[in-house]
Short mmCIF file of all heavy atoms in Angstrom, two decimals:
data_model
loop_
_atom_site.label_atom_id
_atom_site.label_comp_id
_atom_site.label_asym_id
_atom_site.label_seq_id
_atom_site.Cartn_x
_atom_site.Cartn_y
_atom_site.Cartn_z
N THR A 409 0.82 -1.22 0.00
CA THR A 409 0.00 0.00 0.00
C THR A 409 0.84 1.26 0.00
O THR A 409 0.30 2.37 0.01
CB THR A 409 -0.93 0.02 1.22
OG1 THR A 409 -0.14 0.07 2.42
CG2 THR A 409 -1.82 -1.22 1.25
N SER A 410 2.17 1.12 0.01
CA SER A 410 3.03 2.30 0.10
C SER A 410 4.03 2.36 -1.05
O SER A 410 5.22 2.59 -0.85
CB SER A 410 3.77 2.32 1.44
OG SER A 410 4.60 1.17 1.57
N PHE A 411 3.52 2.15 -2.27
CA PHE A 411 4.38 2.29 -3.43
C PHE A 411 4.98 3.70 -3.49
O PHE A 411 6.13 3.88 -3.88
CB PHE A 411 3.59 2.02 -4.71
CG PHE A 411 4.37 2.26 -5.98
CD1 PHE A 411 5.34 1.36 -6.40
CD2 PHE A 411 4.14 3.39 -6.75
CE1 PHE A 411 6.07 1.58 -7.56
CE2 PHE A 411 4.86 3.61 -7.92
CZ PHE A 411 5.82 2.70 -8.32
N GLY A 412 4.20 4.68 -3.07
CA GLY A 412 4.70 6.05 -3.05
C GLY A 412 5.93 6.19 -2.18
O GLY A 412 6.85 6.95 -2.50
N GLY A 413 5.96 5.45 -1.07
CA GLY A 413 7.13 5.51 -0.19
C GLY A 413 8.36 4.95 -0.87
O GLY A 413 9.47 5.49 -0.74
N LEU A 414 8.20 3.83 -1.60
CA LEU A 414 9.32 3.25 -2.34
C LEU A 414 9.81 4.23 -3.39
O LEU A 414 11.02 4.44 -3.56
CB LEU A 414 8.88 1.94 -3.00
CG LEU A 414 9.88 1.31 -3.98
CD1 LEU A 414 11.15 0.89 -3.25
CD2 LEU A 414 9.25 0.10 -4.67
N LEU A 415 8.87 4.85 -4.11
CA LEU A 415 9.25 5.80 -5.15
C LEU A 415 9.96 7.02 -4.57
O LEU A 415 10.95 7.51 -5.12
CB LEU A 415 8.00 6.23 -5.93
CG LEU A 415 8.22 7.02 -7.22
CD1 LEU A 415 9.10 6.23 -8.18
CD2 LEU A 415 6.89 7.34 -7.88
N ASN A 416 9.50 7.50 -3.42
CA ASN A 416 10.15 8.64 -2.77
C ASN A 416 11.57 8.29 -2.36
O ASN A 416 12.50 9.11 -2.50
CB ASN A 416 9.35 9.09 -1.55
CG ASN A 416 8.06 9.78 -1.92
OD1 ASN A 416 7.93 10.30 -3.03
ND2 ASN A 416 7.09 9.79 -1.01
N ALA A 417 11.76 7.08 -1.85
CA ALA A 417 13.10 6.65 -1.44
C ALA A 417 14.04 6.60 -2.64
O ALA A 417 15.22 7.01 -2.55
CB ALA A 417 13.03 5.30 -0.75
N LEU A 418 13.55 6.11 -3.76
CA LEU A 418 14.37 6.06 -4.97
C LEU A 418 14.67 7.47 -5.47
O LEU A 418 15.79 7.75 -5.93
CB LEU A 418 13.65 5.26 -6.06
CG LEU A 418 13.59 3.75 -5.84
CD1 LEU A 418 12.65 3.09 -6.84
CD2 LEU A 418 14.98 3.12 -5.95
N SER A 419 13.70 8.36 -5.39
CA SER A 419 13.91 9.74 -5.83
C SER A 419 14.97 10.44 -4.98
O SER A 419 15.78 11.22 -5.49
CB SER A 419 12.60 10.52 -5.77
OG SER A 419 11.66 9.99 -6.66
N GLU A 420 14.99 10.14 -3.69
CA GLU A 420 16.00 10.73 -2.80
C GLU A 420 17.37 10.14 -3.08
O GLU A 420 18.39 10.85 -3.03
CB GLU A 420 15.61 10.49 -1.35
CG GLU A 420 14.38 11.28 -0.91
CD GLU A 420 13.98 10.97 0.51
OE1 GLU A 420 14.70 10.18 1.18
OE2 GLU A 420 12.95 11.49 0.97
N ALA A 421 17.43 8.84 -3.39
CA ALA A 421 18.71 8.19 -3.66
C ALA A 421 19.26 8.56 -5.04
O ALA A 421 20.48 8.57 -5.25
CB ALA A 421 18.57 6.68 -3.54
N TYR A 422 18.34 8.84 -5.99
CA TYR A 422 18.75 9.15 -7.37
C TYR A 422 18.06 10.43 -7.82
O TYR A 422 17.21 10.42 -8.72
CB TYR A 422 18.37 7.99 -8.30
CG TYR A 422 19.00 6.66 -7.91
CD1 TYR A 422 18.29 5.74 -7.13
CD2 TYR A 422 20.29 6.34 -8.31
CE1 TYR A 422 18.88 4.53 -6.76
CE2 TYR A 422 20.88 5.14 -7.96
CZ TYR A 422 20.16 4.24 -7.17
OH TYR A 422 20.75 3.04 -6.82
N PRO A 423 18.42 11.57 -7.24
CA PRO A 423 17.71 12.83 -7.51
C PRO A 423 17.82 13.30 -8.96
O PRO A 423 16.96 14.07 -9.42
CB PRO A 423 18.36 13.82 -6.54
CG PRO A 423 19.72 13.23 -6.24
CD PRO A 423 19.51 11.76 -6.26
N ALA A 424 18.85 12.89 -9.68
CA ALA A 424 19.03 13.35 -11.06
C ALA A 424 18.37 12.43 -12.08
O ALA A 424 18.43 12.69 -13.29
CB ALA A 424 20.52 13.51 -11.38
N MET A 425 17.77 11.34 -11.62
CA MET A 425 17.08 10.42 -12.53
C MET A 425 15.67 10.94 -12.82
O MET A 425 14.98 11.41 -11.90
CB MET A 425 17.00 9.01 -11.93
CG MET A 425 18.31 8.28 -11.86
SD MET A 425 18.94 7.85 -13.51
CE MET A 425 20.46 6.99 -13.04
N PRO A 426 15.22 10.86 -14.06
CA PRO A 426 13.86 11.32 -14.39
C PRO A 426 12.81 10.57 -13.57
O PRO A 426 12.90 9.35 -13.38
CB PRO A 426 13.73 11.00 -15.88
CG PRO A 426 15.13 10.93 -16.38
CD PRO A 426 15.95 10.39 -15.25
N GLU A 427 11.82 11.30 -13.10
CA GLU A 427 10.77 10.69 -12.27
C GLU A 427 10.03 9.60 -13.02
O GLU A 427 9.69 8.56 -12.44
CB GLU A 427 9.79 11.77 -11.82
CG GLU A 427 8.70 11.25 -10.91
CD GLU A 427 7.75 12.34 -10.45
OE1 GLU A 427 8.06 13.52 -10.69
OE2 GLU A 427 6.69 11.99 -9.86
N LYS A 428 9.79 9.80 -14.31
CA LYS A 428 9.05 8.81 -15.09
C LYS A 428 9.84 7.50 -15.20
O LYS A 428 9.26 6.41 -15.15
CB LYS A 428 8.74 9.36 -16.49
CG LYS A 428 7.66 8.59 -17.22
CD LYS A 428 7.21 9.33 -18.47
CE LYS A 428 6.04 8.59 -19.13
NZ LYS A 428 5.53 9.32 -20.32
N LEU A 429 11.17 7.59 -15.32
CA LEU A 429 12.00 6.39 -15.37
C LEU A 429 11.95 5.65 -14.04
O LEU A 429 11.78 4.43 -14.00
CB LEU A 429 13.44 6.76 -15.72
CG LEU A 429 14.48 5.63 -15.59
CD1 LEU A 429 14.17 4.49 -16.55
CD2 LEU A 429 15.89 6.16 -15.82
N LEU A 430 12.10 6.40 -12.95
CA LEU A 430 12.06 5.76 -11.63
C LEU A 430 10.71 5.10 -11.38
O LEU A 430 10.65 4.00 -10.81
CB LEU A 430 12.36 6.80 -10.54
CG LEU A 430 13.78 7.34 -10.50
CD1 LEU A 430 13.91 8.39 -9.39
CD2 LEU A 430 14.80 6.22 -10.28
N TRP A 431 9.63 5.75 -11.83
CA TRP A 431 8.30 5.17 -11.64
C TRP A 431 8.19 3.83 -12.37
O TRP A 431 7.72 2.85 -11.81
CB TRP A 431 7.24 6.14 -12.16
CG TRP A 431 5.83 5.73 -11.88
CD1 TRP A 431 5.06 6.11 -10.82
CD2 TRP A 431 5.01 4.83 -12.66
NE1 TRP A 431 3.81 5.53 -10.89
CE2 TRP A 431 3.75 4.74 -12.01
CE3 TRP A 431 5.21 4.13 -13.84
CZ2 TRP A 431 2.71 3.96 -12.51
CZ3 TRP A 431 4.17 3.34 -14.33
CH2 TRP A 431 2.94 3.26 -13.67
N ARG A 432 8.63 3.80 -13.63
CA ARG A 432 8.53 2.56 -14.40
C ARG A 432 9.39 1.45 -13.80
O ARG A 432 8.96 0.30 -13.67
CB ARG A 432 8.94 2.79 -15.86
CG ARG A 432 8.77 1.54 -16.72
CD ARG A 432 9.20 1.76 -18.15
NE ARG A 432 10.62 1.99 -18.28
CZ ARG A 432 11.54 1.01 -18.28
NH1 ARG A 432 11.18 -0.25 -18.10
NH2 ARG A 432 12.82 1.30 -18.42
N LEU A 433 10.62 1.79 -13.42
CA LEU A 433 11.50 0.78 -12.83
C LEU A 433 10.93 0.25 -11.53
O LEU A 433 10.95 -0.96 -11.27
CB LEU A 433 12.90 1.36 -12.61
CG LEU A 433 13.70 1.73 -13.87
CD1 LEU A 433 15.04 2.34 -13.49
CD2 LEU A 433 13.92 0.50 -14.76
N ALA A 434 10.41 1.14 -10.70
CA ALA A 434 9.85 0.71 -9.41
C ALA A 434 8.63 -0.17 -9.62
O ALA A 434 8.43 -1.16 -8.90
CB ALA A 434 9.50 1.93 -8.56
N ARG A 435 7.80 0.16 -10.61
CA ARG A 435 6.61 -0.65 -10.87
C ARG A 435 6.98 -2.04 -11.40
O ARG A 435 6.27 -3.01 -11.15
CB ARG A 435 5.72 0.05 -11.90
CG ARG A 435 5.03 1.29 -11.39
CD ARG A 435 3.92 0.99 -10.42
NE ARG A 435 2.77 0.37 -11.05
CZ ARG A 435 1.64 0.08 -10.42
NH1 ARG A 435 1.53 0.35 -9.13
NH2 ARG A 435 0.63 -0.49 -11.06
N ASN A 436 8.07 -2.13 -12.13
CA ASN A 436 8.49 -3.41 -12.71
C ASN A 436 9.36 -4.23 -11.76
O ASN A 436 9.24 -5.45 -11.72
CB ASN A 436 9.26 -3.17 -14.01
CG ASN A 436 8.35 -2.97 -15.19
OD1 ASN A 436 7.90 -3.92 -15.82
ND2 ASN A 436 8.07 -1.72 -15.51
N TYR A 437 10.24 -3.58 -11.02
CA TYR A 437 11.27 -4.30 -10.27
C TYR A 437 11.21 -4.09 -8.77
O TYR A 437 11.97 -4.74 -8.03
CB TYR A 437 12.66 -3.90 -10.79
CG TYR A 437 12.80 -4.03 -12.28
CD1 TYR A 437 12.84 -2.91 -13.10
CD2 TYR A 437 12.87 -5.29 -12.88
CE1 TYR A 437 12.95 -3.03 -14.48
CE2 TYR A 437 12.97 -5.42 -14.27
CZ TYR A 437 13.01 -4.28 -15.05
OH TYR A 437 13.13 -4.40 -16.42
N GLY A 438 10.36 -3.21 -8.29
CA GLY A 438 10.24 -2.98 -6.86
C GLY A 438 11.57 -2.60 -6.23
O GLY A 438 12.31 -1.76 -6.74
N THR A 439 11.89 -3.27 -5.12
CA THR A 439 13.11 -2.93 -4.38
C THR A 439 14.37 -3.33 -5.15
O THR A 439 15.47 -2.91 -4.79
CB THR A 439 13.11 -3.61 -3.01
OG1 THR A 439 12.97 -5.03 -3.19
CG2 THR A 439 11.97 -3.11 -2.16
N ARG A 440 14.22 -4.13 -6.21
CA ARG A 440 15.39 -4.53 -6.99
C ARG A 440 15.79 -3.47 -8.01
O ARG A 440 16.75 -3.65 -8.76
CB ARG A 440 15.14 -5.87 -7.68
CG ARG A 440 14.92 -6.99 -6.68
CD ARG A 440 15.16 -8.36 -7.22
NE ARG A 440 15.13 -9.33 -6.14
CZ ARG A 440 15.57 -10.57 -6.24
NH1 ARG A 440 16.05 -11.02 -7.39
NH2 ARG A 440 15.52 -11.39 -5.21
N THR A 441 15.07 -2.37 -8.03
CA THR A 441 15.45 -1.25 -8.90
C THR A 441 16.88 -0.82 -8.62
O THR A 441 17.63 -0.48 -9.54
CB THR A 441 14.48 -0.07 -8.69
OG1 THR A 441 13.17 -0.48 -9.07
CG2 THR A 441 14.89 1.12 -9.53
N SER A 442 17.29 -0.87 -7.36
CA SER A 442 18.66 -0.45 -7.01
C SER A 442 19.70 -1.38 -7.61
O SER A 442 20.86 -0.98 -7.80
CB SER A 442 18.82 -0.40 -5.49
OG SER A 442 18.53 -1.66 -4.90
N MET A 443 19.33 -2.64 -7.92
CA MET A 443 20.27 -3.55 -8.57
C MET A 443 20.55 -3.08 -10.00
O MET A 443 21.61 -3.37 -10.56
CB MET A 443 19.71 -4.97 -8.58
CG MET A 443 19.59 -5.61 -7.22
SD MET A 443 18.79 -7.25 -7.26
CE MET A 443 19.96 -8.19 -8.26
N ILE A 444 19.58 -2.41 -10.61
CA ILE A 444 19.76 -1.89 -11.97
C ILE A 444 20.50 -0.56 -11.94
O ILE A 444 21.46 -0.35 -12.70
CB ILE A 444 18.38 -1.71 -12.64
CG1 ILE A 444 17.68 -3.06 -12.78
CG2 ILE A 444 18.52 -1.02 -14.00
CD1 ILE A 444 16.25 -2.95 -13.25
N LEU A 445 20.08 0.32 -11.05
CA LEU A 445 20.67 1.66 -11.03
C LEU A 445 22.07 1.67 -10.42
O LEU A 445 22.93 2.43 -10.85
CB LEU A 445 19.75 2.61 -10.27
CG LEU A 445 18.36 2.80 -10.88
CD1 LEU A 445 17.52 3.73 -10.00
CD2 LEU A 445 18.46 3.36 -12.29
N GLY A 446 22.30 0.83 -9.41
CA GLY A 446 23.62 0.76 -8.80
C GLY A 446 24.13 2.12 -8.38
O GLY A 446 23.45 2.89 -7.72
N GLY A 447 25.34 2.45 -8.83
CA GLY A 447 25.94 3.73 -8.47
C GLY A 447 25.67 4.83 -9.48
O GLY A 447 26.24 5.93 -9.38
N ALA A 448 24.81 4.60 -10.44
CA ALA A 448 24.51 5.60 -11.46
C ALA A 448 23.81 6.80 -10.83
O ALA A 448 23.01 6.66 -9.90
CB ALA A 448 23.63 5.00 -12.55
N GLN A 449 24.08 7.97 -11.36
CA GLN A 449 23.44 9.18 -10.88
C GLN A 449 22.57 9.84 -11.94
O GLN A 449 21.60 10.52 -11.63
CB GLN A 449 24.50 10.18 -10.37
CG GLN A 449 25.20 9.71 -9.10
CD GLN A 449 24.24 9.44 -7.95
OE1 GLN A 449 23.39 10.28 -7.62
NE2 GLN A 449 24.35 8.27 -7.32
N THR A 450 22.91 9.63 -13.21
CA THR A 450 22.14 10.20 -14.31
C THR A 450 21.88 9.11 -15.34
O THR A 450 22.55 8.07 -15.34
CB THR A 450 22.91 11.35 -14.99
OG1 THR A 450 24.06 10.81 -15.68
CG2 THR A 450 23.37 12.39 -13.96
N PRO A 451 20.92 9.32 -16.25
CA PRO A 451 20.69 8.32 -17.30
C PRO A 451 21.93 7.99 -18.11
O PRO A 451 22.10 6.86 -18.55
CB PRO A 451 19.60 8.97 -18.16
CG PRO A 451 18.85 9.84 -17.21
CD PRO A 451 19.91 10.39 -16.28
N ALA A 452 22.81 8.95 -18.28
CA ALA A 452 24.04 8.71 -19.05
C ALA A 452 24.92 7.66 -18.38
O ALA A 452 25.71 6.98 -19.05
CB ALA A 452 24.81 10.01 -19.22
N ASP A 453 24.78 7.52 -17.06
CA ASP A 453 25.57 6.53 -16.33
C ASP A 453 25.05 5.10 -16.50
O ASP A 453 25.68 4.15 -16.05
CB ASP A 453 25.59 6.86 -14.83
CG ASP A 453 26.20 8.21 -14.53
OD1 ASP A 453 27.10 8.63 -15.29
OD2 ASP A 453 25.76 8.85 -13.55
N LEU A 454 23.89 4.95 -17.15
CA LEU A 454 23.26 3.64 -17.30
C LEU A 454 23.69 2.92 -18.57
O LEU A 454 23.17 1.86 -18.89
CB LEU A 454 21.73 3.79 -17.28
CG LEU A 454 21.14 4.34 -15.98
CD1 LEU A 454 19.65 4.56 -16.13
CD2 LEU A 454 21.43 3.39 -14.81
N GLY A 455 24.63 3.51 -19.32
CA GLY A 455 25.14 2.85 -20.52
C GLY A 455 24.34 3.19 -21.76
O GLY A 455 23.60 4.17 -21.80
N SER A 456 24.49 2.37 -22.78
CA SER A 456 23.86 2.62 -24.08
C SER A 456 22.36 2.81 -23.94
O SER A 456 21.69 2.15 -23.14
CB SER A 456 24.13 1.44 -25.03
OG SER A 456 25.51 1.25 -25.21
#
């Protein structure tokens, strides 16, 4: 019931990532979103 809380936590951890990207990743991967984003700070850090 607290998807918004997960999304807020991701937004705080990755402030330079687009909100729409974080929303899609969180909806698809939940808490494993951090396994994808890792140490990336911007979309350019995510590779091709």
Side-chain angles (χ1 to χ4, degrees):
T409 64
S410 61
F411 175 75
L414 172 64
L415 191 57
N416 288 337
L418 288 170
S419 296
E420 291 177 3
Y422 301 96
M425 289 292 180
E427 182 179 350
K428 196 169 185 178
L429 171 63
L430 291 178
W431 187 94
R432 183 181 67 80
L433 294 177
R435 290 288 290 184
N436 278 276
Y437 308 106
T439 57
R440 297 201 171 194
T441 298
S442 57
M443 294 175 63
I444 297 172
L445 298 178
Q449 292 302 310
T450 69
D453 299 329
L454 297 175
S456 301

